[in-house]
Amino acid sequence: SGRNPPDAELRCIEWGTGKVRWTVPNRVRTSLLAVDGHLVCLGEYGGLELIKANPDKYERVAEVTLRETIAGPAIDGLAAPPLLRSPCWSAPILSHGLLYLRGNDRLVCLELIPNKK
């Protein structure tokens, strides 16, 4: 809900009544994908978050900002540039264990298939 940061918020809405169950304020606009009891959330600036689909409370499982790989030694205090650039408005897509994320200038594919041992 909301138009722009900082008024954007993530809300859980009760389908039958429209009642707001919980809300997380001060967010960026986010596209969601429901997967196996979780929500994959892609923020408009490329942040990726996994939350548990829980109608009673907001439960973050993990979050990451994907970064480009830089060849050579790391420079203290400087992070690699983000892999996805704003705007990241397309919803994440999952197909056959591959998660597709789209930013302004590229499409990224993450393999989520567990290794078989």
Side-chain angles (χ1 to χ4, degrees):
S1 178
R3 183 172 176 177
N4 299 304
D7 69 340
E9 53 186 37
L10 182 62
R11 292 180 179 175
C12 176
I13 308 293
E14 190 172 281
W15 187 261
T17 65
K19 176 185 172 188
V20 176
R21 299 289 305 263
W22 53 257
T23 184
V24 181
N26 300 317
R27 303 228 353 154
V28 298
R29 293 171 289 191
T30 303
S31 297
L32 304 172
L33 170 68
V35 176
D36 195 27
H38 292 80
L39 297 173
V40 177
C41 309
L42 178 61
E44 68 179 303
Y45 299 110
L48 190 60
E49 183 178 15
L50 182 67
I51 64 173
K52 188 170 181 181
N54 182 342
D56 297 319
K57 64 180 179 177
Y58 168 78
E59 286 186 72
R60 179 185 294 141
V61 175
E63 68 177 326
V64 67
T65 297
L66 302 172
R67 302 226 173 250
E68 293 186 25
T69 302
I70 296 179
I75 301 173
D76 288 340
L78 294 180
L83 192 57
L84 295 170
R85 291 174 181 78
S86 178
C88 300
W89 289 338
S90 298
I93 301 294
L94 182 66
S95 178
H96 303 287
L98 301 174
L99 181 65
Y100 295 91
L101 307 169
R102 184 177 177 274
N104 182 42
D105 60 351
R106 67 176 58 146
L107 176 69
V108 173
C109 179
L110 303 177
E111 184 178 7
L112 304 181
I113 303 165
N115 290 331
K116 292 182 181 180
K117 293 183 180 183

